[in-house]
Amino acid sequence: MLRRATHPVAESRILIVGLGLIGGSLAAGLRAAGYVGPIAGCDPDPDEIALGIEMGVIDEGDTRLEAVIDSASMIVLAVPVLAMESVMGELSPLLPRATADVVITDVGSTKAAIRDVARKVFGRVPANLVLGHPIAGSEKSGVAAANPELYARHKVIITPEPDTDPVAMARVRAIWQACDADVLEMDVARHDEVLARTSHLPHLLAFSLVDTLARQDERLEIFRYAAGGFRDFTRIAGSDPVMWRDIFVANRDAVLASLDDFENGVARLRQAVESGDADAMLAIFSRASHARHYFESLLNQTSYQAEYHMQQHGKLRYRVTPGGGVNGRIRVPGDKSISHRSIMLGALAEGVTEVKGFLEGEDSLATLQAFREMGVAIEGPHQGRVTIHGVGMHGLKAPSGPLYVGNAGTAMRLFSGLLAGQAFDTELTGDTSLTKRPMGRVADPLRTMGAEIETAEGGRPPLRIKGDRALTGITYDMPMASAQVKSCLLLAGLYAKGETRVREPAPTRDHTERMLTGFGYDVQRDGDTCWLTGGGKLTAAPIDVPSDISSATFFLVAAAITPGSDLVLEHVGINPTRVGVINILKLMGADLTLSNEHEVGGEPVADLHIRYTPLKGIDIPVDQVPLAIDEFPALFVAAANAEGTTRLRGAEELRVKESDRLQAMADGLGELGVENTLFEDGIDIVGRRPGEAAEGPSYGGGHIDSLGDHRIAMAFAIAALRASGEIVIDDCANVATSFPGFIDLARKVGLSLAEEAEDGDGEGA
Ligand code: S3P
């Protein structure tokens, strides 16, 4: 309802040509949105017009266009695709009788054919003709089925031409948005391709299945028992036959292409069934089942991919009440780095890998989905449990399209190495943030190994990786301390001839080396260099993913800065290459102790116990920087609450994370009133003055832009514990990439925060 009110329709007279379900529902939706101007209808069937008037959907109507065109400011062509030519032909000479600024739009399900008709009739696509297509419908037809809610929360695709008038586009958007639809733009060819796959093909299959079964003699018997699957699958076979005939005539080529893909898919499945190939069946079914659940969650928005959420519904905002406590015993989700690697190595191993504690965040799920797309059967995740049916070093299959890894830099960089060694070509893409991140750091050394990789300008994604290249091991002196680059090269090295050696300028996380070793692959290390020899194999081994110390950090800092806090974080990974945050907090004077230290699957874990005590500012030792690289947003909040100044240098890598984290944190802290000075490779943050009461608020509230960076969002959420006013944080949906359930855990320990859509729909704390 809210959106309806914000999109008033300023048309002086709307004419709907074709008063069926689609045109009638638009009229009904406009009425329900409070449009009070005249709506006229034109339809060859006088009964439909009479019914439309009786229902109050239109004010007047006629079977002839010339009788209703006068002073129309918006003309909506809602006729079947194949009727478009005669309707446009009739309309063209009458247009001078409409308003001077008349806008014309249509609702046809295929766009290229309608564009061709417009060119034929008008000589070109007029600038005031905005082709459009509401993706909504029903198996019912006629104005009697008109439903004012038909377009609510549905998409309308408009397919403008390069010279379509932007004002005309805005007016077409407005009528659909008034009906509570989400309007997006696409070019004509893409629209037809997408619709062929997502709408035309399923209709074709439903029509065909029902027709095939209905022709069989015992059909009554069959239909009597056909509930459940049959009913769900074939509902759309009840749709309007004329409309669908027109669509298949008009979108012939795109439909045939999608039918070819489908036939290949059925042939593969047939083959699996025929030969009793249980693994192949499981791979296909689990990939489809996962994709269907993912699709469902997009539809229901129970969880979402951040980018989708942003495009469709505006961004997600956190609103955090100042103050609160941090107490209790919690367990944060599984380690992101280890979760990514568990899928990668599990897929390439021989045998079945059982994973416990897998992070069900969007980043690691993107990795999991990518391997499904390369033919790996993966069960789960179910409460952190994943079963991977390894296909061996050379068992991956070419995916049918680009692999989309969302926000996950780790996935893209590690994949680039692993895919450089495959027999097939691949393309890696990601979301807007990832598309800005540097990939030359992996593409360059991979090229020296013999890989062929194309990047977009400036070494940015997408990456196009050529398969079937002979790789040769190299010795690489990494210019930056990056575990992603190191891991990428080691993974490529598995496929390379000879030794691949990587020297790191400072120690970085060594999960790849540990896990390779756990899977029986010989990885050597001498000082700052590690290496392996290509051509070996991996053997499946169980993996127990510890809780992510990077996620635990937000609560460690939360407790460290909040008077009265006493918190235990269980089963946290304390790999020596990840414990920078523990060392830094201890140097700042934090009361932090480790207990129950033990090892799970080659990774050390412990329970972390932290109690409040006032912190002091420090110069952060440079050797701790790579060991705490993801923890700085939270550590800067600790610094803002410490006595004196905290100085960080040697941290230029922070500028190329999910956002420029030095800049994002400097801006956000500045907004709260925390004094800071930014340097190219670091920052000085001024905390409390000496002698200032440690218990009062440390800074003000304010409005922060997280820039879609999950760790910036969470850092400012915990900052509110010591703020004097509310902290509002924009663009927080990406928290789901690394820390699903953050809000719930934060509330559980004593923070008071709510999430809401940035356009203002609130959800209470
Ligand atoms: C990661 C390495 C780090 C880290 C990232 C995860 C990994 O990146 O920031 O979140 O899993 O290897 P860099 O290697 O680019 O420093």
Side-chain angles (χ1 to χ4, degrees):
M1 288 303 124
L2 180 100
R3 235 178 301 179
R4 294 186 172 206
T6 57
H7 296 287
V9 172
E11 301 303 331
S12 55
R13 183 159 183 272
I14 298 176
L15 169 60
I16 296 184
V17 185
L19 202 59
L21 168 79
I22 298 293
S25 295
L26 173 60
L30 289 168
R31 280 280 178 259
Y35 176 71
V36 289
I39 304 181
C42 180
D43 196 276
D45 182 349
D47 291 345
E48 291 291 286
I49 293 179
L51 186 58
I53 295 173
E54 192 187 314
M55 289 166 67
V57 167
I58 54 170
D59 301 294
E60 51 172 324
D62 202 285
T63 54
R64 293 157 310 133
L65 209 42
E66 59 175 332
V68 277
I69 186 120
D70 283 349
S71 353
S73 65
M74 169 71 67
I75 302 176
V76 183
L77 305 179
V79 298
V81 175
L82 294 191
M84 209 55 92
E85 183 165 352
S86 69
V87 170
M88 282 191 190
E90 195 182 337
L91 179 68
S92 174
L94 297 172
L95 276 177
R97 289 169 49 187
T99 59
D101 63 349
V102 65
V103 170
I104 309 161
T105 187
D106 81 308
V107 300
S109 312
T110 76
K111 302 283 41 137
I114 296 176
R115 181 182 57 187
D116 293 347
V117 165
R119 284 186 182 145
K120 194 166 155 197
V121 172
F122 298 103
R124 55 187 277 270
V125 180
N128 62 341
L129 170 58
V130 183
L131 296 180
H133 175 206
I135 318 270
S138 148
E139 65 284 9
K140 304 194 190 107
S141 41
V143 72
N147 168 10
E149 290 295 314
L150 188 67
Y151 305 113
R153 293 168 303 284
H154 279 73
K155 286 182 198 46
V156 173
I157 301 176
I158 55 175
T159 58
E161 295 291 294
D163 55 355
T164 303
D165 175 14
V167 175
M169 276 164 62
R171 283 169 53 192
V172 170
R173 275 179 180 273
I175 58 168
W176 292 115
Q177 285 170 333
C179 297
D180 213 7
D182 291 317
V183 184
L184 30 119
E185 281 176 36
M186 233 180 236
D187 71 43
V188 165
R190 175 91 182 124
H191 168 277
D192 286 0
E193 239 173 71
V194 167
L195 267 289
R197 288 185 154 72
T198 56
S199 167
H200 308 169
L201 179 64
H203 276 85
L204 182 142
L205 300 180
F207 282 129
S208 169
L209 177 65
V210 176
D211 181 49
T212 308
L213 292 190
R215 281 161 185 252
Q216 291 171 358
D217 288 338
E218 69 280 28
R219 67 178 181 272
L220 288 176
E221 225 18 51
I222 287 179
F223 286 143
R224 184 162 304 137
Y225 299 114
F230 180 82
R231 181 188 292 160
D232 288 350
F233 187 81
T234 58
R235 178 182 58 78
I236 52 179
S239 304
D240 181 357
V242 173
M243 177 176 127
W244 282 97
R245 177 205 58 193
D246 288 6
I247 289 171
F248 287 107
V249 170
N251 204 22
R252 176 177 178 273
D253 293 348
V255 167
L256 289 179
S258 72
L259 195 55
D260 284 345
D261 290 347
F262 179 77
E263 283 175 352
N264 292 335
V266 172
R268 277 196 299 275
L269 191 48
R270 184 177 206 291
Q271 167 68 27
V273 174
E274 198 174 305
S275 59
D277 186 344
D279 270 1
M281 284 187 257
L282 187 63
I284 296 169
F285 298 155
S286 57
R287 208 158 54 227
S289 161
H290 181 83
R292 184 64 180 79
H293 287 301
Y294 178 64
F295 170 64
E296 186 82 16
S297 71
L298 287 184
L299 287 180
N300 298 336
Q301 290 157 44
T302 44
S303 107
Y304 39 72
Q305 195 205 13
E307 186 109 325
Y308 173 89
H309 189 276
M310 261 152 51
Q311 271 178 17
Q312 308 304 316
H313 304 282
K315 297 177 181 176
L316 190 68
R317 171 180 288 157
Y318 286 177
R319 192 175 284 281
V320 199
T321 308
V326 187
N327 291 288
R329 240 188 131 80
I330 57 170
R331 189 162 175 158
V332 301
D335 188 277
K336 181 153 74 78
S337 293
I338 300 176
S339 295
H340 279 301
R341 288 157 171 85
S342 70
I343 300 292
M344 296 180 188
L345 298 197
L348 296 179
E350 289 173 18
V352 176
T353 295
E354 301 280 354
V355 184
K356 276 199 314 191
F358 180 78
L359 169 67
E360 296 183 37
E362 287 169 0
D363 275 13
S364 39
L365 288 173
T367 289
L368 189 151
Q369 182 62 12
F371 277 96
R372 284 191 167 130
E373 285 169 30
M374 291 189 282
V376 182
I378 304 175
E379 296 169 62
H382 302 295
Q383 294 176 333
R385 286 183 181 266
V386 180
T387 305
I388 309 156
H389 297 256
V391 295
M393 294 301 293
H394 300 282
L396 296 179
K397 304 218 169 68
S400 57
L403 297 171
Y404 177 81
V405 296
N407 195 244
T410 307
M412 187 167 282
R413 300 218 175 94
L414 271 58
F415 272 143
S416 63
L418 193 154
L419 294 172
Q422 304 305 317
F424 47 84
D425 299 351
T426 36
E427 180 174 338
L428 288 167
T429 69
D431 71 2
T432 324
S433 149
L434 187 55
T435 306
K436 294 183 192 140
R437 297 182 65 188
M439 295 296 148
R441 56 178 57 200
V442 287
D444 292 341
L446 285 172
R447 287 183 189 122
T448 67
M449 293 177 79
E452 200 179 317
I453 302 183
E454 266 177 49
T455 64
E457 218 183 298
R460 315 278 153 185
L463 300 183
R464 288 198 184 84
I465 303 170
K466 273 255 165 280
D468 221 6
R469 308 284 305 170
L471 303 184
T472 314
I474 52 166
T475 296
Y476 189 63
D477 205 347
M478 273 198 299
M480 74 294 282
S482 167
Q484 293 181 356
V485 176
K486 172 179 68 177
S487 303
C488 160
L489 298 180
L490 291 177
L491 292 175
L494 297 175
Y495 292 92
K497 194 161 159 256
E499 264 177 23
T500 299
R501 306 174 79 93
V502 187
R503 195 194 76 82
E504 44 190 7
T508 66
R509 65 192 68 190
D510 63 358
H511 306 301
T512 306
E513 299 93 298
R514 283 177 188 250
M515 205 182 284
L516 280 170
T517 308
F519 276 60
Y521 210 102
D522 190 22
V523 185
Q524 313 264 357
R525 174 171 282 276
D526 184 12
D528 56 7
T529 303
C530 63
W531 68 94
L532 53 74
T533 305
K537 66 167 194 160
L538 298 167
T539 308
I543 296 174
D544 187 346
V545 183
S547 290
D548 198 327
I549 191 167
S550 299
S551 299
T553 291
F554 297 102
F555 291 107
L556 283 177
V557 171
I561 63 173
T562 307
S565 295
D566 188 336
L567 182 76
V568 175
L569 290 143
E570 294 172 354
H571 199 70
V572 179
I574 51 158
N575 180 312
T577 59
R578 296 285 297 278
V579 291
V581 60
I582 294 178
N583 300 335
I584 293 168
L585 281 175
K586 281 187 172 166
L587 286 171
M588 295 176 85
D591 177 358
L592 171 57
T593 51
L594 276 60
S595 62
N596 191 19
E597 287 186 47
H598 61 289
E599 195 158 295
V600 289
E603 292 279 350
V605 296
D607 294 341
L608 309 183
H609 187 183
I610 184 148
R611 276 175 292 225
Y612 171 75
T613 189
L615 300 178
K616 55 183 193 309
I618 58 164
D619 288 354
I620 296 173
V622 178
D623 64 358
Q624 294 301 308
V625 171
L627 311 186
I629 194 68
D630 290 338
E631 284 61 82
F632 285 109
L635 284 169
F636 292 175
V637 172
N641 286 281
E643 182 183 291
T645 300
T646 297
R647 293 180 194 83
L648 172 70
R649 295 294 180 277
E652 58 278 358
E653 276 294 298
L654 292 181
R655 294 205 179 264
V656 290
K657 294 293 176 190
E658 285 83 330
S659 67
D660 175 346
R661 286 186 175 155
L662 288 175
Q663 188 69 54
M665 288 303 298
D667 291 348
L669 289 171
E671 163 77 12
L672 304 185
V674 176
E675 191 185 326
N676 66 78
T677 312
L678 198 52
F679 297 86
E680 206 30 58
D681 66 340
I683 192 168
D684 286 356
I685 296 170
V686 183
R688 274 177 293 108
R689 316 269 159 207
E692 209 177 301
E695 269 73 39
S698 303
Y699 33 74
H703 198 138
I704 308 288
D705 187 354
S706 80
L707 302 170
D709 183 332
H710 53 140
R711 300 201 198 280
I712 303 293
M714 290 185 276
F716 282 105
I718 58 156
L721 286 159
R722 298 298 306 277
S724 60
E726 181 181 69
I727 298 189
V728 175
I729 311 158
D730 284 350
D731 208 354
C732 293
N734 275 333
V735 166
T737 61
S738 70
F739 202 150
F742 169 71
I743 291 263
D744 292 338
L745 268 188
R747 286 176 185 161
K748 186 171 166 192
V749 300
L751 277 90
S752 173
L753 71 174
E755 50 184 342
E756 63 188 36
E758 278 182 33
D759 63 11
D761 289 336
E763 182 244 323

